[in-house]
């Protein structure tokens, strides 16, 4: 097990405030099936700033297979259900994008839903 590092990049249209951020690594290798959550970290009371960035760290297997993706949900309500005004990673970001150290953190953009 190792730690991977990333940076959440907020959309410039994000409304300022605070939110709960769910960052997960998910196995999305099976077509037409729901992804399987392999690991998750939750960040509480995160300041959302339009165009801002927030670092995160998540535990991961040392050898992640191709097809594992990073998913980020910035929840205004603090819940897991996606709601209007939340931010979400809308493109597939491979887990290998994440860095092995904080100074090599991969970027995960999120957009307003």
């Amino acid at each position: 097990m190792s730690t991977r590092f990333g940076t959440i990049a907020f959309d410039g249209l994000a409304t300022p405030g605070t939110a709960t951020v769910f960052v997960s690594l998910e196995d999305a290798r099976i077509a037409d099936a729901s992804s399987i959550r392999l690991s998750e970290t939750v960040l509480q009371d995160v300041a959302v700033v339009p165009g801002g960035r927030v670092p995160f760290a998540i535990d991961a297997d040392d050898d992640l297979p191709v097809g594992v993706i990073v998913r980020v949900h910035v929840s205004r309500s603090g819940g897991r259900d996606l709601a209007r005004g939340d931010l979400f990673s809308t493109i597939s970001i491979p887990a290998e994008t994440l860095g092995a150290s904080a100074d090599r953190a991969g970027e995960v953009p999120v957009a307003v839903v």
Side-chain angles (χ1 to χ4, degrees):
M1 191 67 76
S2 62
T3 301
R4 304 289 174 95
F5 298 86
T7 301
I8 300 164
F10 294 125
D11 187 323
L13 300 175
T15 303
T18 59
T20 300
V21 177
F22 300 93
V23 179
S24 59
L25 295 179
E26 299 183 7
D27 186 342
R29 292 180 289 171
I30 301 173
D32 298 329
S34 296
S35 59
I36 299 168
R37 185 177 300 131
L38 303 174
S39 180
E40 181 178 63
T41 190
V42 180
L43 309 174
Q44 300 286 340
D45 300 319
V46 173
V48 176
V49 177
R53 289 175 163 40
V54 171
F56 68 87
I58 189 166
D59 290 333
D61 287 337
D62 291 330
D63 295 316
L64 290 172
V66 172
V68 174
I69 61 170
V70 183
R71 188 169 311 240
V72 175
H73 174 199
V74 180
S75 174
R76 298 300 187 149
S77 69
R80 292 186 179 274
D81 292 333
L82 197 58
R84 177 180 225 121
D86 285 357
L87 292 100
F88 196 75
S89 51
T90 58
I91 59 174
S92 181
I93 304 292
E96 63 232 22
T97 301
L98 301 180
S101 62
D103 61 328
R104 299 183 141 217
E107 186 170 279
V108 181
V110 292
V112 177
V113 177

